[in-house]
Amino acid sequence: MLMFKSSLGKPLAGLCLATALLVQPLASLSAYAGNIGFTVSPKGDEAKALQTGLKLYSLAKDLKRKNRARVDQVGSGNSGAVTQNGQSNWGRVFQRGRNNTGAVTQNGNSNSFALFQFGKNNTSSHTQAGNSQASARFELGW
């Protein structure tokens, strides 16, 4: 029998149980090809926070142009592209794995988009049209 004396005990036990229940089905998926992904597209203050975070990340990577685009790849058979029309846009494709294809197109001003692909065989294309939009897409392929 488990006994918890701190206020974090029960939530931590619940998290451990939920993790254990999720890991087993995901482990069995490794025998099948597939992928999972999600996109974050906040509005208002949350969008400004995401834009600020992405811009700070690019500053850390030493990008100094008005429109900022970067494709980072580790692995084989990856293909990434960023196309920008407008001013003060920030686009990033980050790929780790193999046979990933990712493209970001930005039309407008002050947009930010980051595409993160991990694993293999992810294919994704995203377009931002307008001004002051911020989004991030995360994908995991197996």
Side-chain angles (χ1 to χ4, degrees):
M1 183 165 118
L2 293 173
M3 294 186 67
F4 298 101
K5 295 188 180 196
S6 77
S7 62
L8 292 176
K10 288 183 182 179
L12 186 57
L15 178 61
C16 290
L17 179 61
T19 302
L21 292 174
L22 288 174
V23 168
Q24 180 57 36
L26 290 176
S28 65
L29 285 177
S30 64
Y32 304 97
N35 66 5
I36 187 169
F38 63 94
T39 303
V40 179
S41 298
K43 302 287 185 212
D45 288 341
E46 289 83 7
K48 289 178 186 175
L50 179 60
Q51 283 182 324
T52 300
L54 294 174
K55 288 176 183 177
L56 288 173
Y57 182 73
S58 70
L59 286 175
K61 292 293 184 179
D62 198 31
L63 297 172
K64 298 183 190 244
R65 295 172 294 195
K66 266 293 198 190
N67 276 335
R68 295 178 174 98
R70 185 173 177 127
V71 176
D72 249 342
Q73 299 170 315
V74 172
S76 62
N78 292 316
S79 172
V82 178
T83 304
Q84 296 172 316
N85 298 300
Q87 296 179 13
S88 299
N89 292 308
W90 185 94
R92 177 82 182 236
V93 176
F94 181 87
Q95 298 170 319
R96 295 293 183 268
R98 59 190 161 126
N99 301 323
N100 294 304
T101 302
V104 173
T105 302
Q106 296 173 310
N107 298 306
N109 302 307
S110 301
N111 294 307
S112 300
F113 195 99
L115 172 60
F116 299 92
Q117 296 178 315
F118 301 96
K120 60 184 181 177
N121 301 323
N122 293 298
T123 300
S124 199
S125 179
H126 301 276
T127 300
Q128 287 179 315
N131 300 316
S132 301
Q133 298 178 30
S135 296
R137 171 115 180 124
F138 303 87
E139 299 180 338
L140 173 65
W142 57 90

